[in-house]
Amino acid sequence: MARFKTDVPLRWSDMDAFGHVNNNQFMVLLEEARVAMMFTAAYEAGVPGFREGVVVARHEVDYLLPVVVPAEVRVELWVERIGNASFSFAYELMANDKLALRAKSVMVPFDTVAQRPRRLTAEELAFLEQWTD
């Protein structure tokens, strides 16, 4: 299984009144990891299509440990499922080398001009397949 790995920085503003990273901020951290994979790594691999539009259709999250700033955070993500017009990511978020969160997201390629979902291109499929479980 190939996993895309990226470090994501925490900000003091990620913490809530209870002194740990707020549950909503975890979605931002996962988004930063997706952007690094789909927008930066894919673009560098000659696959620019995700930059033209992709939306989240669903999130599923299991919070395992609280995370307190400062912490070293790494997100590992991989493709769990690929369809014709959607795909699913699975994630593990590590804080100081401890598993703090597991999550899944269903992603849908989106035509921002027509304002509707679109099918994955052959290039996008090939890019995603290298990260499948």
Side-chain angles (χ1 to χ4, degrees):
M1 168 177 64
R3 291 187 177 195
F4 182 85
K5 300 174 185 179
T6 187
D7 295 327
V8 290
L10 291 180
R11 298 159 296 265
W12 287 105
S13 61
D14 291 337
M15 283 195 301
D16 61 17
F18 300 110
H20 55 74
V21 175
N22 184 274
N23 65 304
N24 288 324
Q25 290 307 112
F26 280 105
M27 297 301 96
V28 174
L29 300 175
L30 297 181
E31 177 184 39
E32 289 178 17
R34 282 194 313 275
V35 165
M37 179 193 209
M38 292 190 318
F39 294 2
T40 305
Y43 185 80
E44 290 170 356
V47 183
F50 295 121
R51 285 185 171 198
E52 296 171 14
V54 62
V55 296
V56 175
R58 182 175 195 279
H59 283 308
E60 178 181 324
V61 182
D62 293 319
Y63 301 95
L64 305 173
L65 293 174
V67 176
V68 178
V69 177
E72 292 184 19
V73 174
R74 181 183 71 250
V75 176
E76 297 183 6
L77 66 143
W78 61 96
V79 177
E80 196 170 67
R81 182 195 60 80
I82 303 174
N84 291 323
S86 69
F87 56 97
S88 298
F89 280 130
Y91 314 81
E92 288 184 346
L93 183 143
M94 310 293 285
N96 296 328
D97 294 321
K98 294 180 183 170
L99 182 60
L101 176 140
R102 282 193 180 110
K104 296 180 181 182
S105 297
V106 176
M107 308 299 297
V108 176
F110 198 76
D111 182 331
T112 57
V113 174
Q115 289 294 296
R116 63 183 174 143
R118 64 172 177 81
R119 291 191 174 271
L120 288 160
T121 66
E123 293 81 13
E124 291 166 340
L125 284 167
F127 178 80
L128 293 171
E129 285 171 353
Q130 72 180 321
W131 302 109
T132 57
D133 182 4

